[in-house]
Amino acid sequence: MNDNLKIYARKPAKCPQCKHSPVASILYGHPAFDDDFALKMEQGRIALGGCCIAVNPGAALPRWQCSQCKLEMYRRQDVEQAQQEQETR
């Protein structure tokens, strides 16, 4: 596991690197777009993570992203689960 990952138990209120707020939640897949969704994207509260996710087995995906500097942050539970999956391989 990468020691440089920014790992948190819950979504940070501001970016640990640049101190900007808000931190966006990363959504994967094909979200339904509507006016509310577009507004949240414009406000930096939502970021798109992509629809075709090719990850290494046992690798965690970032859960949040700074809407300013684009720093990716990981949820502790996701990282721990990925580590457990790697250990059982």
Side-chain angles (χ1 to χ4, degrees):
M1 190 59 57
N2 186 337
D3 292 332
N4 295 324
L5 294 180
K6 303 297 183 193
I7 302 170
Y8 301 93
R10 63 180 67 109
K11 182 179 176 180
K14 62 183 177 181
C15 176
Q17 182 168 284
C18 73
K19 310 302 182 210
H20 182 78
S21 180
V23 169
S25 295
I26 300 175
L27 300 181
Y28 296 95
H30 295 281
F33 281 88
D34 59 14
D35 291 339
D36 184 52
F37 188 89
L39 178 62
K40 287 178 182 176
M41 282 191 63
E42 187 177 308
Q43 294 170 337
R45 295 170 47 208
I46 292 176
L48 297 178
C51 61
C52 299
I53 304 166
V55 300
N56 296 329
L61 293 171
R63 183 67 68 137
W64 309 292
Q65 181 183 60
C66 175
S67 56
Q68 179 81 18
C69 73
K70 308 303 182 203
L71 177 73
E72 293 179 336
M73 293 157 264
Y74 294 77
R75 188 173 72 158
R76 182 176 321 281
Q77 182 180 354
D78 297 339
V79 172
E80 289 170 354
Q81 181 178 353
Q83 289 173 335
Q84 288 175 354
E85 288 174 8
Q86 283 182 335
E87 291 170 2
T88 60
R89 299 186 130 243

